[in-house]
Amino acid sequence: MHNIRKVSKKVGFTIIFFLLLTGAAFAVAAYFGVTKLILEIGPILKGQVDPAAAKNAWNIILEYYPKFWHTIFPAAMIFSLMVGILAWLFARSSIRKLDQSPEEADGEAEAGDDKAEKDLSDRRLFLHLFSLMQREGRLMDFLDEDLDGYDDAQIGSAVRSIHAGCRQLVQEYLNPKPVMDQHEGAVVEVPVDFDPGLIKLTGNVVGEPPFKGILRHKGWQVGKMKLPTLTGRQNAEIIAPAEVEIT
């Protein structure tokens, strides 16, 4: 890496110096060219053309010629410097790519593979609990069902088994506990140092804590987090596989 920086600096200095030199040479050549042009054409125009009717281009030349060294010349040098910096940045990027060792390239490829694998794992973990609820309580089947054709008694009977299976899984993996232990409807006090992530204030919230209010919902928090061990063979898109009975 140290050698890359050294070479990059040398290349950058060479490029910028060469372009500055080229810009200066071009500006000086233009200056002397315009000087010669004025010496040769000026007398002709003075003798044949009324100064008030002179062409606009010639008027511009006569106006900027005395200001050349503190207007056009610095502009040409700044332009050359900018082009040199851009060329150096491009060359530095090319040098780094050429100097990259196979080990570094393999390391970047492996890092990309690890990130892709982590993304797949995260997606599988996200769907895992829902997949278990489908397996134990047929939750996905229930949510996909059109309930308009059933009466309340039929729906209530179906929900009982779904509730039992899903509740057991939630208790096993998350063991949820209330954020506040008081029963809903009780008058509670919100302390000065309360966490807005744990307690959400509603209603007429005026002033600074502590507050007193009515507990409308006790909230839920995770009592434990039981994460499953997933294998790379699990498809991150599948909630539940299709089941085929062979006869």
Side-chain angles (χ1 to χ4, degrees):
M1 182 61 71
H2 180 70
N3 290 334
I4 295 176
R5 290 178 181 175
K6 223 172 156 184
V7 172
S8 176
K9 288 180 180 179
K10 287 183 178 179
V11 171
F13 176 79
T14 303
I15 291 175
I16 293 174
F17 176 77
F18 174 76
L19 285 174
L20 285 174
L21 188 63
T22 302
F26 176 79
V28 171
Y31 175 80
F32 286 109
V34 171
T35 301
K36 186 174 182 180
L37 183 68
I38 291 174
L39 293 176
E40 292 182 0
I41 298 180
I44 298 175
L45 290 177
K46 285 182 180 179
Q48 299 181 3
V49 180
D50 184 1
K55 296 180 181 180
N56 291 333
W58 185 252
N59 287 336
I60 291 174
I61 292 175
L62 294 178
E63 179 181 356
Y64 282 95
Y65 175 74
K67 307 175 184 177
F68 177 84
W69 294 109
H70 56 273
T71 56
I72 298 175
F73 183 78
M77 297 301 291
I78 291 173
F79 176 77
S80 300
L81 178 63
M82 292 175 63
V83 173
I85 292 174
L86 291 175
W88 170 61
L89 291 175
F90 176 78
R92 184 179 65 174
S93 176
S94 301
I95 291 171
R96 286 181 175 177
K97 288 180 181 179
L98 291 174
D99 192 72
Q100 189 179 41
S101 64
E103 291 79 8
E104 291 176 339
D106 293 341
E108 290 183 359
E110 289 177 3
D113 293 340
D114 292 342
K115 185 178 183 302
E117 180 61 30
K118 185 179 182 303
D119 291 341
L120 285 175
S121 178
D122 291 343
R123 293 171 68 183
R124 288 196 297 267
L125 284 171
F126 178 78
L127 289 177
H128 181 72
L129 186 60
F130 192 72
S131 300
L132 291 177
M133 288 182 177
Q134 163 63 20
R135 187 182 71 189
E136 301 297 333
R138 298 290 183 179
L139 178 62
M140 187 64 227
D141 296 345
F142 175 74
L143 296 176
D144 188 57
E145 189 72 35
D146 184 4
L147 301 180
D148 291 340
Y150 300 91
D151 57 35
D152 292 345
Q154 290 174 310
I155 295 174
S157 177
V159 167
R160 186 178 300 278
S161 62
I162 296 171
H163 174 270
C166 293
R167 184 175 187 275
Q168 181 181 351
L169 282 169
V170 171
Q171 291 292 337
E172 178 183 353
Y173 279 85
L174 302 177
N175 189 25
K177 295 180 179 180
V179 174
M180 302 186 74
D181 294 328
Q182 295 91 334
H183 62 84
E184 294 176 357
V187 177
V188 297
E189 181 173 331
V190 179
V192 175
D193 57 347
F194 80 99
D195 183 353
L198 293 179
I199 301 175
K200 178 182 177 181
L201 302 179
T202 62
N204 186 25
V205 183
V206 179
E208 299 295 330
F211 300 110
K212 278 191 176 181
I214 300 173
L215 181 62
R216 296 303 184 189
H217 190 277
K218 58 187 177 181
W220 293 105
Q221 59 185 330
V222 173
K224 68 176 181 180
M225 180 69 73
K226 179 182 176 183
L227 295 177
T229 302
L230 303 178
T231 66
R233 295 188 298 273
Q234 291 173 284
N235 192 327
E237 307 293 333
I238 300 301
I239 296 173
E243 298 178 12
V244 179
E245 181 181 356
I246 307 299
T247 58

